[in-house]
Amino acid sequence: MRGQVLLFFSVLSLSSVLGQVSYSIPEEMPKGSLVGNIAKDFGLDVKRLKSGKARIFTRDNDGYIELNNERGVLLIKNIIDREALCGQTTPCALHFKIILENPMEFYSVTIEITDVNDNPPSFEKNDVKFKISESAVSGAKFILDRAVDSDVGSNGLQTYKLQPTDNFVVKLHDQADGTKNVEMILDKPLDREKNEHLSLVLTALDGGEPQMTGTMQILITVLDANDNAPVFTQSVYKASIKENAPVGTVVVTVTATDADHGSHGKITYSISSILDHARGLFEVNDESGEIRLKGNVDYEKARTFQINIRASDDGGLVDSCKVIIDVNDMNDNKPDIHILSKSNVISEDANPGTVVTMINIEDTDSGENGNVQCSINDNIPFVMKSTTNDFYSLITDSGLDRETASEYNITVTCSDEGVPSLSSSVTLTLQISDVNDNAPVFERSSYEAYIVENNTPGLSIFTVRARDADWNQNARVSYILEDSSVNGVPVSSYVSVSADSGVIHAVRSFDYEQIKDFHFRVKAQDGGSPPLSKNVTVKMLIQDQNDNPPQVLYPVQTGGSLVAEMVPRSADVSYLVTKVVAVDVDSGQNAWLSYKLQKATDRALFEVGLQNGEIRTIRQVTDKDAVKQRLTVIVEDNGQPSRSATVIVNVAVADSFPEVLSEFTDFTHDKEYNDNLTFYLVLALAVVSFLFITCLVVIISVKIYRWRQSRIMFHSNLPVIPYYPPRYSDTLGTGTLQHVYNYEVCRTTDSRKSDCKFGTAGSQNVLIMDPSATGTMQRIQSEKSILDEPDSPLEVRI
Ligand SMILES: *[C@@H]1O[C@H](CO)[C@@H](O)[C@H](O)[C@H]1NC(C)=O
Ligand SMILES: *[C@@H]1O[C@H](CO)[C@@H](O)[C@H](O)[C@H]1NC(C)=O
């Protein structure tokens, strides 16, 4: 068909050119294919061709076409490749002449070779490699190799296609020489992090039918750019930490990632900002992002910390996050007891409810750890009262009594409710001050005191004592004798009470024979204001002393006259001669009298009844018995020592009175002589004693004088040793010591009597001795009055 069209075209050319014919054939026709029927086209007979030895004449391009003389047609001798024949030149034609001999004729033949799409576009290389930074911006151009298609016209290279089209588009760019540059243009930026290696296929397309393509692979390696900032996995990290956690505790680890590669992706952590109170408490490990505790966190100082952490890569891109660290409270604070005010002393009469101390409690922990309860030790009359939160007052619970407890140690213990609980305590010492609420109390409800009569005035008899449970001045007891009278005399003339000591003194010497007992009241009063007092009855019992010798009432002893009992010579045995009657004003044993016969003219004749003092005969009186019988009867009391009295009983054994009278005149003479003798002896003794004392005084005086003189002369610079004269002790019968002279003074109280009396100076109870035991009642009383005088002349001291 196609050949016919071309033939038609050549016929038209024939019409204009004699002897010239054109054919058009596609390239690549197989061998032997018919090109054209020249016999017909030139109007030649086949025979003529034969005879004319028709042949093809050409200078070049020989060998493609052959002439078949038999059929008068042109055939393909060898396959014609238009591209090889003409290259890109169009149109491409074979020109040759067909030469005939006999006659010589020639005809021109032109065979146009038309293109057949037999060549695909092709690239020089199968692949091409690019390295493109991901930071390349859109519009960046990359020149690609062009493809080549040896076909021409529409069979030639028409267009390119780039796939995939994600990032790049292909664009043809006309050059000045008419060629087109193939450009790969970055349309969308690359991202190494998404796709590090890209593989694109560039397809070159021709316009033939069927279309043919050629491809080239474009391998792109995306180079990293620091286009990714680090990114924290969380924008806010929350962590909590116990307060007092040890240094080095990992609090939290922050993590940032960086999609970049290498140093662009190497993240360094640092603290970007931190509030002052957290400064120095935390550190971040720059590589691992571990946040560690560097100092001590205290819940009471800060409960939360906020740290901004920055992550930066080497390219300088950063991200930051916030770390919020909550501090968990630990029960690490003891309750703090603060004493706002306190009284150290409280009066014992303080009313219940009196505030003693105000306390403020503070526990800086929170929640349970900071809930504080306070208590005090048991068994004390105080309670803790919570007034408001954290304020406690310690008040008295019941009445106080200093006498029971003068001091309280109040231990206030406050504990919080943490687990384990912490507590602290404080001890307050509270003194209870005294109030005069106790009267003095005597040791006994009543006293009985005994004093032996004849005491010295001023003698301390007895001590009453009262105690006062109060303190100090309130307990200072004074003793006061209460006014009363004894037998009409104020009691103060009998006894006195020492206000301080309670010692009761006798004001006077008591005489049992006059007063046997009396009582009085002593008041004990304390020094409080107002004072309190108590009184007590003291019963004073005076004890008898054997100070009275028996007194003979009968027979009456008269000075001059003689009384004699008459015993008739006819008296029988056990004849009651007389009865000695004596009394003793003392009492008890001291007044229990016994009678004994001390001397008798004839002891065999009389006896004295021991108890009753009856003098009886013990044998028959005979004529031989003297008329004048003298009996000395001693009456003794039973005191210790006993006292006695003697009585002389004259007995006349006679039947008639004149007989008696003549005999008894001697008695008085004898007696007078005896008395005189006694008197002289005493006088002599007194004189000798006086001389002795005088001599002694003179000698001692002389000695002292000389000794003093010698000291003044030779040792006048030495201190003078005072001289103490030898002392004369008044010790009775205790022997003589060196420098102590026992000196006895005997003095008659009745110039005619030889009684000797020993005075003991300073002795408490003065005993009156009457060794001769012949005194009468009157005499004893006069002696006593002398002893009662304070300046008794009986005492001599040198
Ligand atoms: C109170 O405490 C003090 C000091 O520890 C102590 O001397 C005193 O005896 C205590 N008083 C009482 C009543 O326990
Ligand atoms: C002595 O005490 C008694 C009670 O012990 C009292 O009745 C009396 O009035 C008191 N006497 C004086 C004088 O205070």
Side-chain angles (χ1 to χ4, degrees):
M1 237 321 248
R2 188 173 170 140
Q4 283 173 346
V5 171
L6 288 172
L7 187 64
F8 173 68
F9 172 66
S10 58
V11 169
L12 285 178
S13 344
L14 270 176
S15 60
S16 56
V17 180
L18 271 177
Q20 183 172 343
V21 68
S22 292
Y23 298 103
S24 176
I25 58 164
E27 60 177 330
E28 307 287 343
M29 288 182 73
K31 268 188 199 170
S33 300
L34 175 73
V35 177
N37 192 338
I38 55 159
K40 186 178 158 211
D41 292 338
F42 283 120
L44 295 170
D45 190 18
V46 180
K47 291 168 185 152
R48 166 67 188 136
L49 292 174
K50 269 185 190 169
S51 61
K53 291 179 189 167
R55 64 177 190 272
I56 290 173
F57 169 75
T58 181
R59 290 193 188 266
D60 45 30
N61 297 329
D62 196 17
Y64 291 110
I65 302 290
E66 65 174 350
L67 180 62
N68 189 328
N69 284 340
E70 305 291 325
R71 292 168 55 199
V73 289
L74 291 169
L75 296 174
I76 299 294
K77 188 180 172 190
N78 282 310
I79 292 172
I80 306 163
D81 183 10
R82 191 204 69 81
E83 287 74 27
L85 191 66
C86 301
Q88 289 297 305
T89 311
T90 51
C92 176
L94 291 170
H95 300 276
F96 58 90
K97 298 205 183 349
I98 296 175
I99 298 170
L100 295 168
E101 295 172 10
N102 299 325
M104 244 340 227
E105 288 173 322
F106 61 91
Y107 300 90
S108 291
V109 177
T110 300
I111 298 172
E112 188 189 9
I113 312 297
T114 59
D115 190 40
V116 167
N117 194 18
D118 57 348
N119 287 295
S122 72
F123 291 97
E124 204 167 310
K125 294 184 202 151
N126 281 333
D127 51 42
V128 62
K129 287 176 181 163
F130 286 101
K131 284 187 177 169
I132 305 171
S133 167
E134 61 177 327
S135 64
V137 293
S138 299
K141 292 179 187 168
F142 304 91
I143 307 295
L144 299 177
D145 291 342
R146 278 176 290 178
V148 176
D149 193 333
S150 28
D151 293 325
V152 294
S154 64
N155 289 335
L157 185 64
Q158 295 299 314
T159 185
Y160 292 91
K161 216 165 67 181
L162 189 62
Q163 269 181 325
T165 55
D166 293 346
N167 295 96
F168 293 96
V169 291
V170 73
K171 224 178 190 177
L172 300 179
H173 196 261
D174 292 325
Q175 292 291 98
D177 61 356
T179 59
K180 288 178 177 172
N181 265 350
V182 185
E183 290 174 348
M184 182 170 73
I185 293 171
L186 187 63
D187 185 31
K188 269 195 269 169
L190 294 171
D191 187 0
R192 186 201 66 81
E193 289 72 34
K194 265 198 226 156
N195 232 336
E196 190 171 358
H197 298 283
L198 298 177
S199 172
L200 289 86
V201 176
L202 182 67
T203 309
L205 299 156
D206 62 17
E209 189 71 39
Q211 199 171 37
M212 299 193 81
T213 61
T215 58
M216 179 174 71
Q217 202 169 24
I218 303 169
L219 295 173
I220 299 172
T221 302
V222 182
L223 295 181
D224 188 46
N226 191 24
D227 59 342
N228 285 289
V231 177
F232 277 104
T233 53
Q234 288 166 245
S235 61
V236 176
Y237 290 84
K238 285 198 169 159
S240 63
I241 185 168
K242 286 181 183 173
E243 65 172 327
N244 301 330
V247 169
T249 303
V250 176
V251 180
V252 68
T253 302
V254 294
T255 312
T257 53
D258 190 313
D260 294 327
H261 189 67
S263 70
H264 293 155
K266 185 163 181 291
I267 295 171
T268 304
Y269 300 94
S270 60
I271 292 175
S272 64
S273 75
I274 188 163
L275 290 178
D276 274 349
H277 71 271
R279 206 175 294 278
L281 286 181
F282 299 97
E283 61 184 358
V284 63
N285 184 309
D286 57 359
E287 281 182 21
S288 65
E290 245 174 25
I291 296 173
R292 280 175 191 272
L293 195 60
K294 205 170 126 192
N296 290 317
V297 288
D298 186 356
Y299 179 83
E300 287 69 40
K301 286 191 192 145
R303 298 177 178 199
T304 180
F305 295 101
Q306 188 174 321
I307 310 173
N308 290 329
I309 302 288
R310 177 171 50 207
S312 52
D313 61 20
D314 279 2
L317 295 178
V318 297
D319 188 18
S320 70
C321 72
K322 201 186 273 184
V323 179
I324 295 169
I325 300 166
D326 289 325
V327 180
N328 291 339
D329 187 37
M330 298 292 289
N331 194 17
D332 61 340
N333 287 287
K334 285 182 179 180
D336 180 29
I337 303 176
H338 180 61
I339 293 169
L340 297 177
S341 72
K342 73 166 181 173
S343 15
N344 293 320
V345 178
I346 183 168
S347 169
E348 61 177 322
D349 64 355
N351 289 327
T354 303
V355 176
V356 177
T357 301
M358 297 270 288
I359 292 170
N360 172 237
I361 314 292
E362 196 186 17
D363 191 319
T364 42
D365 293 322
S366 66
E368 305 264 280
N369 295 339
N371 277 355
V372 179
Q373 298 296 332
C374 289
S375 64
I376 53 171
N377 43 330
D378 295 334
N379 303 324
I380 54 171
F382 300 95
V383 286
M384 281 293 267
K385 227 171 103 181
S386 168
T387 41
T388 56
N389 257 9
D390 308 334
F391 283 93
Y392 284 86
S393 47
L394 181 67
I395 59 173
T396 58
D397 188 25
S398 58
L400 301 171
D401 185 14
R402 191 203 63 84
E403 286 72 38
T404 321
S406 64
E407 184 189 67
Y408 288 98
N409 286 337
I410 305 164
T411 304
V412 179
T413 306
C414 294
S415 325
D416 60 29
E417 290 171 4
V419 179
S421 162
L422 291 177
S423 67
S424 53
S425 65
V426 66
T427 298
L428 309 163
T429 300
L430 184 66
Q431 306 281 345
I432 310 300
S433 70
D434 190 41
V435 165
N436 192 23
D437 56 354
N438 287 285
V441 175
F442 281 100
E443 285 171 343
R444 301 213 208 129
S445 59
S446 66
Y447 290 91
E448 273 192 2
Y450 298 89
I451 180 167
V452 178
E453 62 174 332
N454 301 320
N455 58 293
T456 46
L459 175 71
S460 69
I461 306 166
F462 179 69
T463 305
V464 291
R465 187 159 289 139
R467 306 220 174 273
D468 193 308
D470 293 322
W471 185 73
N472 207 5
Q473 188 66 24
N474 291 338
R476 182 166 296 165
V477 179
S478 307
Y479 302 91
I480 299 156
L481 182 65
E482 296 235 351
D483 277 346
S484 62
S485 63
V486 178
N487 296 340
V489 180
V491 73
S492 57
S493 64
Y494 282 87
V495 287
S496 67
V497 177
S498 164
D500 291 342
S501 60
V503 175
I504 294 171
H505 296 271
V507 171
R508 60 161 73 177
S509 180
F510 294 108
D511 185 1
Y512 176 82
E513 286 70 37
Q514 281 177 10
I515 182 165
K516 293 192 168 47
D517 60 59
F518 62 96
H519 59 260
F520 53 92
R521 299 186 84 85
V522 175
K523 183 164 82 173
Q525 177 173 301
D526 63 25
S529 173
L532 295 173
S533 64
K534 272 270 169 71
N535 66 57
V536 74
T537 303
V538 181
K539 185 170 187 189
M540 189 67 86
L541 295 163
I542 295 148
Q543 288 186 318
D544 186 39
Q545 206 180 33
N546 197 15
D547 59 342
N548 290 291
Q551 293 163 39
V552 178
L553 301 179
Y554 184 86
V556 179
Q557 304 287 295
T558 54
S561 63
L562 270 171
V563 177
E565 304 293 333
M566 292 280 286
V567 176
R569 288 188 182 277
S570 59
D572 280 340
V573 176
S574 199
Y575 174 83
L576 176 62
V577 178
T578 186
K579 181 176 164 122
V580 176
V581 178
V583 291
D584 194 316
V585 291
D586 295 324
S587 65
Q589 296 276 328
N590 294 337
W592 190 10
L593 299 179
S594 59
Y595 303 85
K596 279 175 206 151
L597 189 59
Q598 193 185 40
K599 261 194 287 178
T601 313
D602 186 353
R603 274 191 168 272
L605 188 55
F606 301 103
E607 64 169 9
V608 175
L610 186 66
Q611 308 291 329
N612 52 21
E614 285 175 355
I615 299 172
R616 286 172 187 273
T617 58
I618 48 176
R619 67 173 166 78
Q620 188 73 48
V621 179
T622 63
D623 289 343
K624 283 181 238 165
D625 292 323
V627 174
K628 194 171 66 176
Q629 293 283 342
R630 192 180 158 108
L631 306 177
T632 306
V633 175
I634 181 162
V635 183
E636 286 182 328
D637 60 25
N638 204 24
Q640 275 302 331
S642 85
R643 284 173 170 259
S644 62
T646 54
V647 60
I648 293 163
V649 180
N650 291 315
V651 178
V653 181
D655 289 330
S656 66
F657 190 70
E659 190 184 355
V660 176
L661 203 62
S662 64
E663 283 294 329
F664 270 78
T665 44
D666 299 345
F667 274 146
T668 46
H669 288 296
D670 283 356
K671 191 170 185 278
E672 222 150 42
Y673 171 75
N674 279 342
D675 284 355
N676 282 345
L677 188 67
T678 315
F679 174 72
Y680 290 131
L681 279 171
V682 170
L683 193 66
L685 185 62
V687 169
V688 169
S689 297
F690 178 73
L691 284 174
F692 172 71
I693 292 164
T694 311
C695 288
L696 208 63
V697 168
V698 169
I699 289 164
I700 290 167
S701 302
V702 169
K703 286 258 179 194
I704 292 166
Y705 179 76
R706 284 191 182 163
W707 178 75
R708 282 199 162 183
Q709 285 297 107
S710 65
R711 284 192 71 84
I712 291 164
M713 282 170 74
F714 302 107
H715 307 286
S716 55
N717 56 335
L718 291 175
V720 175
I721 298 166
Y723 170 70
Y724 298 101
R727 180 164 164 260
Y728 292 87
S729 167
D730 43 25
T731 316
L732 180 65
T734 50
T736 305
L737 300 169
Q738 216 177 357
H739 300 299
V740 178
Y741 295 83
N742 187 9
Y743 189 65
E744 301 169 358
V745 175
C746 287
R747 188 171 179 269
T748 53
T749 51
D750 181 335
S751 60
R752 297 193 306 130
K753 305 296 180 215
S754 61
D755 297 341
C756 189
K757 205 167 46 158
F758 303 93
T760 56
S763 67
Q764 299 276 9
N765 289 309
V766 179
L767 287 177
I768 302 161
M769 300 289 289
D770 194 352
S772 67
T774 55
T776 62
M777 181 138 156
Q778 289 88 349
R779 202 174 66 216
I780 289 160
Q781 273 174 347
S782 70
E783 282 165 359
K784 211 171 137 199
S785 69
I786 290 165
L787 286 168
D788 286 349
E789 285 165 29
D791 297 322
S792 170
L794 293 176
E795 186 185 325
V796 176
R797 280 198 176 185
I798 297 171

